[in-house]
Amino acid sequence: LINGQGEMLSETITPLTRASYPTSQWVKGALAEGVISLLIPGLASSDDTYVELSLLTSEGDPVGKPVRLAENLLVEPWALVTELPPITNPLQANFGEPTLVELPGYALSATTAQPGDTFDLTLYWQAQQPISVNYLVFVHLVDAQENVWGQATGVPVNGSRPTLSWRMDEVLLDNRPLVIGSDVPPGQYNLWEGFFEPDSGLRLPVSGAAADPANGRVL
């Protein structure tokens, strides 16, 4: 994915169709369909962005010349919200060194639940600078013995706003429904949350009054 200045915005390297159907098995004249996903980064905004395809060997060497698709891609930025809404539960926590994201607070739909219930945790994020990694958010329901009884983990904002799309000072409301399993015994539980890098599993450093820096999480 390339903008009008010739700068690469995003890249995906993937099998042409699927890993179990390599090109060595293709039959002459047969039609094969492949679906390729390209992430659009948060700072992209252009009406002359275009897609270029290159065929690579298994060693990563190009085969022939790249092919530019004829139709340009209009990239329209998300509406930029920088003002925090009223926050039910203020909680100042910082993620990253230096700080990438602040957590000014959160809201809970309930503080008591029964097995089988679903309650909503809304996290209020504010980006402090552009983020170069697509971090995932985790929320863990944990008992006093550190057993995890429930979790809500994934891409922020119902999967629609990967952290690569966040812009400086942008405010995002991240609603994370948490299901209480039928086997969860009665008792008092903690809700811990934070960010982690999906490939390595490493968590972002965290600081603040409710932070557990040793485990990269906030209560």
Side-chain angles (χ1 to χ4, degrees), residues 126-139:
Q126 186 162 34
Q128 299 303 299
Q129 55 183 305
I131 303 173
S132 60
V133 175
N134 267 330
Y135 293 102
L136 300 184
V137 175
F138 69 87
V139 174

Side-chain angles (χ1 to χ4, degrees), residues 16 23 53-57 60-66:
L16 274 68
T23 53
L53 302 178
S54 297
L55 188 65
L56 306 177
T57 68
D61 299 320
V63 178
K65 295 181 179 180

